[in-house]
Amino acid sequence: MKRYVALGSSMAAGPGIAPRADSSPRAAQRSARNYPHLVASALALDLVDVTYSGATTAHVLTDSQRGARPQIEALDGTETLVTVTIGGNDVGYVPLLFAASLPRWTRSVPLLGSRLRDLLDPEARERALTEVEAALVEVGRTVRSRAPHATVLFVDYLTLLPPAGPAPPLADSDVALGRRVAAALRRATAAAAEATGAGLVRAAEASVEHHAWSSQPWTTRPGLPVPGRPAPLHPNAQGMQAVADLIERALR
């Protein structure tokens, strides 16, 4: 059976989409119905899913995460497929939208408030964005060197925000910042794929009409986590199936 390794953050792990993947760490919030599992089932691949909620490019390349080894160590050179969804936590994409959904008074709370204000600071987000493309390129190069015979696919992030107009309860200024960060992350992912000879699955483009405020959403709106339901500001089951379908088409 051909080996498939999935690398990435919560946008690949699928927090809250039941059931949880067998034997996966609870902190990873890894679903048995995330796109790696769906692709592996459809194409009869031997899946090694090391996606982990909260992961950054550093957790892919060098850093342990809650006791889990760097994700890159899952590669042993026998892979035929590697997918990568990463970078959003490097630039604070979902965290900034979560911060924007909280009441404004929380930005004055000691310690917490300074973190929220930083997430919603356009200059701070721009500084993070200037570093993410190089980090994504390094991910691509390292995957290529460790899995030289694999098809490597960068899978960008599903669209969360409407392409225009409001996204209540988020303030218009925060929505605009979120859109800028999402667009820059999409461009950085595409650039990294091109620079490293990897493929690109354009989940962001495919999901523009299926944003979280649409009538047929592939992602969820802000809110409080509810056990047994997809996490706020993350893919739902329909979104994961849509991404899996995109990957299968790219491979076929």
Side-chain angles (χ1 to χ4, degrees):
M1 186 177 286
K2 296 178 179 179
R3 191 170 194 259
Y4 163 31
V5 175
L7 312 175
S9 64
S10 57
M11 294 300 246
I17 300 175
R20 181 167 64 91
D22 289 344
S23 303
S24 63
R26 286 194 175 276
Q29 299 184 71
R30 192 181 301 149
S31 171
R33 294 171 62 206
N34 62 13
Y35 79 69
H37 280 79
L38 296 173
V39 169
S41 177
L43 302 182
L45 301 174
D46 181 17
L47 174 64
V48 179
D49 183 0
V50 291
T51 60
Y52 209 111
S53 295
T56 64
T57 53
H59 292 125
V60 171
L61 293 169
T62 58
D63 292 1
S64 64
Q65 186 176 8
R66 294 176 179 247
R69 301 293 300 165
Q71 294 182 25
I72 203 75
E73 294 186 8
L75 302 177
D76 65 10
T78 65
E79 297 77 24
T80 58
L81 174 63
V82 180
T83 57
V84 185
T85 298
I86 203 70
N89 291 315
D90 294 60
V91 299
Y93 175 38
V94 170
L96 87 81
L97 296 178
F98 177 76
S101 74
L102 296 175
R104 290 193 67 86
W105 61 262
T106 58
R107 302 176 196 182
S108 301
V109 174
L111 299 179
L112 173 64
S114 62
R115 173 59 176 155
L116 297 178
R117 292 192 300 273
D118 177 74
L119 286 168
L120 295 167
D121 178 4
E123 292 185 2
R125 294 309 98 223
E126 286 298 328
R127 288 193 296 271
L129 285 165
T130 60
E131 300 175 0
V132 74
E133 184 175 330
L136 289 167
V137 168
E138 184 58 28
V139 168
R141 287 176 176 163
T142 306
V143 170
R144 278 247 171 255
S145 68
R146 296 184 68 129
H149 307 297
T151 296
V152 179
L153 297 177
F154 276 94
V155 183
D156 65 15
Y157 283 48
L158 285 168
T159 296
L160 289 167
L161 295 168
L170 311 183
D172 289 349
S173 59
D174 297 332
V175 172
L177 176 59
R179 288 190 183 115
R180 289 201 299 275
V181 170
L185 181 60
R186 183 175 67 248
R187 291 192 297 269
T189 303
E194 182 176 6
T196 60
L200 176 64
V201 176
R202 300 179 185 272
E205 180 180 291
S207 57
V208 168
E209 300 302 321
H210 296 278
H211 58 81
W213 280 260
S214 70
S215 60
Q216 294 180 308
W218 290 353
T219 50
T220 57
R221 296 189 190 188
L224 295 175
V226 176
R229 294 186 183 177
L233 295 166
H234 278 82
N236 59 24
Q238 291 78 17
M240 281 297 183
Q241 185 62 64
V243 175
D245 291 344
L246 291 170
I247 292 170
E248 290 167 38
R249 285 200 291 272
L251 293 171
R252 285 171 171 158

